[in-house]
Amino acid sequence: MYHFEYVSKKEAAPYKSQLIELLNRVQDYVRDEFTFQFTFIGSSSHNMITYDPTTNVGFDFDVNIAVNDGNEDYSPEDIRIILHKAFSHFMRDYGYTKCEQSTRVISMKAVDPWHSRITHSCDFAVVYEGQAGQQYIRFNKVRNYFSWEFQTQPYKELESRADYLKTNGHWDEVLEVYLEKKNSNDNPDKHSRSLYAETINECFSRYCNHK
């Protein structure tokens, strides 16, 4: 059981500013290969950043990276490897000690080696917005294979559903459910991105079963 709580926008701002600086440096680093835009999403975009004051665990951010590769000069593997190399190159300047190729994201973590805990983290998903919907680069660890995949149901229409919940006065419930999920999560491989998606879809289904 954790003791996560929300932090203010002001408290999270220095971490977010550092990440923006890091992302700008990565943009410059990979510019000879391709360019990209980035967007903070999910809990990171709704002032839902958390931390656990008893362990200093938290300040987790989620970012979507949209690569400009209209001619498809680079394979999904090329893109993820190029970006992973770039983040690994700069991460220690910002206190991060691990950069991993996870299934859905490139995961960057600041680990306290003395207490074997994550002090803060950021997950970067490489995405493409097409007429048929959003795709992301998925890493199949078993087959060591990267591919473009369409977002699965938990990640579809998240922002429109979040907007509905805010507009119709259900956001306090969203905040409560998300914090409960954070504090009860015992799966280290389940990131805040997944917990946020679960929260939005769960709350939305309570009021919009017909949609």
Side-chain angles (χ1 to χ4, degrees):
M1 184 71 179
Y2 296 101
H3 300 85
F4 282 108
E5 59 186 53
Y6 290 111
V7 300
S8 68
K9 186 176 181 179
K10 182 178 180 180
E11 289 175 295
Y15 291 88
K16 189 171 184 178
S17 294
Q18 281 195 338
L19 277 172
I20 291 173
E21 181 180 313
L22 169 61
L23 283 157
N24 288 336
R25 293 178 72 181
V26 170
Q27 284 177 315
D28 290 337
Y29 191 84
V30 304
R31 195 172 301 278
D32 289 342
E33 306 289 349
F34 49 72
T35 59
F36 68 82
Q37 289 79 43
F38 60 86
T39 307
F40 286 83
I41 65 161
S43 60
S44 304
S45 64
H46 292 289
N47 296 329
M48 295 167 66
I49 304 300
T50 63
Y51 86 121
D52 186 337
T54 66
T55 62
N56 198 31
V57 173
F59 291 100
D60 48 349
F61 295 87
D62 294 291
V63 176
N64 277 355
I65 291 177
V67 172
N68 299 314
D69 183 29
N71 295 326
E72 298 185 10
D73 294 325
Y74 296 90
S75 70
E77 180 176 5
D78 290 336
I79 294 171
R80 283 275 297 252
I81 288 177
I82 289 170
L83 288 171
H84 180 265
K85 178 182 177 182
F87 281 115
S88 297
H89 183 76
F90 294 112
M91 67 179 183
R92 293 189 183 277
D93 293 346
Y94 300 90
Y96 294 96
T97 54
K98 295 181 68 176
C99 189
E100 303 172 331
Q101 292 279 21
S102 299
T103 302
R104 297 179 61 88
V105 297
I106 297 172
S107 182
M108 199 168 60
K109 303 172 183 177
V111 179
D112 178 355
W114 302 107
H115 301 93
S116 298
R117 67 189 184 203
I118 300 169
T119 58
H120 57 280
S121 63
C122 187
D123 292 337
F124 306 96
V126 183
V127 301
Y128 168 75
E129 294 285 353
Q131 292 184 346
Q134 187 184 87
Q135 299 180 61
Y136 72 102
I137 295 180
R138 185 178 189 275
F139 177 37
N140 186 319
K141 294 184 179 182
V142 176
R143 297 183 179 180
N144 193 33
Y145 179 73
F146 294 84
S147 60
W148 284 105
E149 303 286 345
F150 281 100
Q151 292 284 17
T152 53
Q153 185 58 42
Y155 295 90
K156 290 181 179 179
E157 303 177 346
L158 275 183
E159 291 313 299
S160 63
R161 292 182 175 189
D163 289 341
Y164 171 88
L165 291 167
K166 276 190 173 182
T167 302
N168 289 275
H170 304 305
W171 200 248
D172 285 345
E173 182 176 344
V174 169
L175 295 175
E176 182 179 341
V177 172
Y178 179 69
L179 207 58
E180 288 176 356
K181 288 183 179 294
K182 288 280 292 186
N183 283 322
S184 61
N185 178 41
D186 59 1
N187 181 356
D189 294 323
K190 180 175 280 190
H191 303 281
S192 61
R193 182 184 298 251
S194 298
L195 297 172
Y196 171 79
E198 287 181 9
T199 299
I200 295 299
N201 288 319
E202 182 179 308
C203 292
F204 183 82
S205 67
R206 293 177 186 174
Y207 302 101
C208 287
N209 287 323
H210 62 286
K211 292 193 176 185

